[in-house]
Amino acid sequence: MTSSRYCDANTLKVAAVVLFYMCAALVMVFVNKAVLNNSPDLPLLFLLLQLLIAVILLHAAAFVTQRIEIPKIELDTAKKLTPVVLVNIIGLVFNTLCLRDVEASFFQIARGLVLPLTILVSSFNTRTTPTVRTIVAAVAVTSGFLLGVAPSSTVPANVAPSSLSLFYGFLSSLFIAFHAVLIKTSLPYCNNSTIQLAYWTNAGSAVFLLPFVFFHGEPSKLEDLIHDSNWDGSVFLWGSAVTGVFGFLLCVAGLLSIKVTSPITHMFSSAARSVIQTILGVWLFKDIMTINRAGSIFVILLGTMYYTWVKSVEAAPPPRKDIDLEALGSGRPTEDSDSDITVVFDVPEEKASKE
């Protein structure tokens, strides 16, 4: 009885975390897109506000609970974390520019090379050759990307993604791949705390981004927009606030997802989120959905799901074989008697539930 209640509670916890993560991710994409449509000339200022709000919320959370610890700002640590911070902010900039220039439903296609590039960068970093199954997954995802970006006569010229926007998507995917590799080497400098690393990357990214906001002339562009009667400044302000808050929540949701869910659960939740994102993009922003694009999203999801399954199988420990008790009692030799084996006895249900 106790075991059944525990399973029900654990299932509810996993479902809640998955729903939380999906909602936060979807809000981030669509509110970002709405703001960038409203203020296309302020992408860096918009991103800077998101980073600053995330830093402020991390401080507020640390004040409320001891589980979130703000790291000490030390020059030596800052130098060691500079590579991961730079890669993070460059990737965020290209990610924002890509989202600004493509449709919301096409965004996941434009960034469809994340998995193949991550596999490639990881292989170079570890100097290992990926398995055949991993290569098959990478080829499938790449095929899906190429299918999605192929020219289509059903897409008007003014809606079709430009070469520059696709280049932004490629660079975003590439820097995400570098970031995934650098995180592993950077965590020891943050006491292996993902929260501390999140603080460093958000605060450091804001510092590096600030001068480029002025070099790009965005403060003066904002001033011109304020004096433009046709510009709705509330969309920019509220959008910055909402994405800043949900960016922080997405960080928390990601950590909870890693802690509570399995890779397979995360795989299916990501697939479901991609489908919902496509439907909402067509509904909210009147995005055009062609057979090529739908097929591209399907192939990319299929390849990604296959890769996740492959990695979960490769990471699973080999099954341990039980001793054939009947053979042991009769004096016959048991199978694999020299291997590491475990005797498994039947445990009464009541005792098992207590344990």
Side-chain angles (χ1 to χ4, degrees):
M1 191 72 173
T2 306
S3 178
S4 177
R5 288 179 180 176
Y6 173 78
C7 290
D8 291 342
N10 190 59
T11 301
L12 287 174
K13 183 190 297 183
V14 171
V17 169
V18 168
L19 185 61
F20 177 35
Y21 181 82
M22 287 177 60
C23 290
L26 288 170
V27 168
M28 279 295 292
V29 170
F30 286 105
V31 176
N32 266 313
K33 182 60 179 173
V35 174
L36 291 171
N37 285 350
N38 173 261
S39 311
D41 295 328
L42 305 174
L44 301 185
L45 180 60
F46 177 48
L47 181 56
L48 177 64
L49 291 175
Q50 289 182 16
L51 294 169
L52 292 176
I53 291 172
V55 171
I56 292 171
L57 289 176
L58 281 169
H59 275 283
F63 180 77
V64 173
T65 175
Q66 294 182 348
R67 292 185 179 182
I68 295 181
E69 182 180 356
I70 301 299
K72 295 180 180 179
I73 306 301
E74 298 175 346
L75 183 60
D76 185 51
T77 305
K79 290 179 180 178
K80 293 175 180 177
L81 292 175
T82 296
V84 71
V85 172
L86 280 175
V87 167
N88 177 70
I89 187 55
I90 294 172
L92 283 175
V93 169
F94 285 124
N95 187 73
T96 303
L97 294 176
C98 177
L99 180 59
R100 181 193 65 179
D101 294 343
V102 302
E103 295 173 299
S105 59
F106 188 83
F107 181 56
Q108 55 193 318
I109 299 176
R111 293 170 63 253
L113 291 178
V114 170
L115 177 61
L117 290 174
T118 301
I119 294 172
L120 184 64
V121 171
S122 180
S123 298
F124 273 111
N125 182 62
T126 57
R127 297 181 181 179
T128 57
T129 303
T131 63
V132 175
R133 286 178 172 179
T134 301
I135 294 174
V136 169
V139 170
V141 172
T142 304
S143 302
F145 169 78
L146 295 176
L147 177 64
V149 301
S152 175
S153 58
T154 57
V155 180
N158 62 330
V159 178
S162 64
S163 299
L164 183 59
S165 63
L166 293 177
F167 185 57
Y168 288 151
F170 170 78
L171 290 178
S172 172
S173 302
L174 180 62
F175 279 96
I176 288 173
F178 281 125
H179 189 254
V181 172
L182 285 173
I183 282 177
K184 296 180 180 179
T185 58
S186 302
L187 273 172
Y189 304 133
C190 304
N191 300 320
N192 290 315
S193 169
T194 50
I195 287 290
Q196 290 193 22
L197 182 59
Y199 181 87
W200 273 106
T201 52
N202 278 281
S205 296
V207 171
F208 281 118
L209 184 62
L210 182 60
F212 290 95
V213 171
F214 287 94
F215 291 155
H216 196 239
E218 293 194 13
S220 59
K221 292 178 182 178
L222 176 61
E223 185 178 357
D224 292 339
L225 286 172
I226 291 174
H227 293 95
D228 185 354
S229 59
N230 295 322
W231 184 63
D232 186 2
S234 61
V235 174
F236 181 79
L237 292 176
W238 279 108
S240 300
V242 170
T243 52
V245 171
F246 273 86
F248 167 75
L249 293 177
L250 191 59
C251 174
V252 176
L255 296 176
L256 289 174
S257 181
I258 293 170
K259 182 179 180 180
V260 175
T261 68
S262 66
I264 299 297
T265 304
H266 187 72
M267 170 188 73
F268 282 107
S269 66
S270 297
R273 188 190 72 207
S274 298
V275 173
I276 295 172
Q277 181 175 321
T278 302
I279 295 172
L280 289 176
V282 174
W283 178 44
L284 295 175
F285 295 104
K286 310 302 179 185
D287 292 351
I288 296 175
M289 182 53 56
T290 64
I291 296 177
N292 275 23
R293 292 185 176 186
S296 170
I297 293 171
F298 176 76
V299 173
I300 290 173
L301 286 178
L302 200 64
T304 305
M305 292 171 69
Y306 176 70
Y307 172 79
T308 308
W309 175 80
V310 167
K311 299 310 289 184
S312 65
V313 169
E314 292 176 354
R320 295 185 297 182
K321 296 184 178 179
D322 302 335
I323 291 180
D324 187 344
L325 294 180
E326 183 180 349
L328 188 64
S330 63
R332 291 187 286 109
T334 59
E335 185 180 1
D336 294 336
S337 57
D338 293 332
S339 63
D340 181 20
I341 46 182
T342 305
V343 180
V344 179
F345 298 95
D346 290 333
V347 181
E349 184 178 352
E350 183 180 355
K351 183 179 179 182
S353 66
K354 290 180 181 179
E355 293 178 349

